[in-house]
Amino acid sequence: MKTLLITGASKGIGYQIAQQFLAAGARVINLSRSAAPNSQIENHAIDLAQPTAELALQKLIADILPEGEICLVHNAAKLVNDTVDDTTTNSFREIININLVAPHMLNQLVVPLMAPGSSIIYIGSTLSEKAVPGTYSYVVTKHAIVGMMRTTCQDLVGREIHTCCICPGFTDTEMLREHVGKDPEVLQSIAATASFGRLVQPSEIASTVSFAANNPVINGTILHANLGQIES
């Protein structure tokens, strides 16, 4: 049985990914501060931003994860309103810890346990390859996630472990709604930037992750899942 190890599956995209893998018969392990609302998901509380996270992860992975076919999904991320000139170093460091250092730590611990057929899926963003004002730390780290995925692909040559970076467009999640102050007019204006005139649904991203996990032909690629963004 395939095992899904995912960060941030308590809600939004992560929860939908967990649900779809459960439906396919996988064992699902969630690492996040809050538990996912499904008793079939194995929840382990951890704050990936804390300095103690590495030691906690080392013990946890050793206790719960045997060798086998594993899909590791780096989903957890933090988005805040910040700019290049107002972001404190401590705030920037916290975002880096969650959005970049946590995936690195998990790669170190989980890759040695991966059998052929395993996969590492990075959740990027439409902002992995461009930028908008007021999302400085998020844009920087999501650009870096693409680099991490590409080097993962190159470093694991010959091991039959594949990887990709899925870059969702504007998705109807609590994180997006909070980022725009839950303003319906702003949400509608954002939705209008997609050629379908709506926000992406978390379940659509989950289906894309499921496809990527089962298709090694996409190894090393960036998959844009954004309903076709209208270029201005």
Side-chain angles (χ1 to χ4, degrees), residues 5-10 14 29-32 48 72-77 102 106:
L5 178 62
I6 181 171
T7 58
S10 60
I29 303 169
N30 169 44
L31 306 180
S32 64
L48 297 170
L72 173 59
V73 177
H74 297 303
N75 171 70
L106 281 165

Side-chain angles (χ1 to χ4, degrees), residues 7-19:
T7 58
S10 60
K11 55 189 175 182
I13 290 172
Y15 182 58
Q16 290 300 318
I17 294 170
Q19 291 283 80

Side-chain angles (χ1 to χ4, degrees), residues 153-171:
C153 174
Q154 296 302 311
D155 287 344
L156 298 183
V157 166
R159 296 174 65 171
E160 296 184 37
I161 299 169
H162 67 277
T163 186
C164 75
C165 182
I166 295 171
C167 292
F170 293 108
T171 305

Side-chain angles (χ1 to χ4, degrees), residues 3 5 27 29 31 42 44 59-66:
T3 297
L5 178 62
R27 176 191 179 195
I29 303 169
L31 306 180
E42 300 176 32
H44 297 275
K59 184 178 187 308
L60 182 61
I61 296 302
D63 288 344
I64 67 172
L65 194 63

Side-chain angles (χ1 to χ4, degrees), residues 10-13 79 171-182 202:
S10 60
K11 55 189 175 182
I13 290 172
L79 168 64
T171 305
D172 192 1
T173 62
E174 184 177 323
M175 184 170 72
L176 175 63
R177 289 179 176 272
E178 290 179 351
H179 184 64
V180 301
K182 299 184 179 180

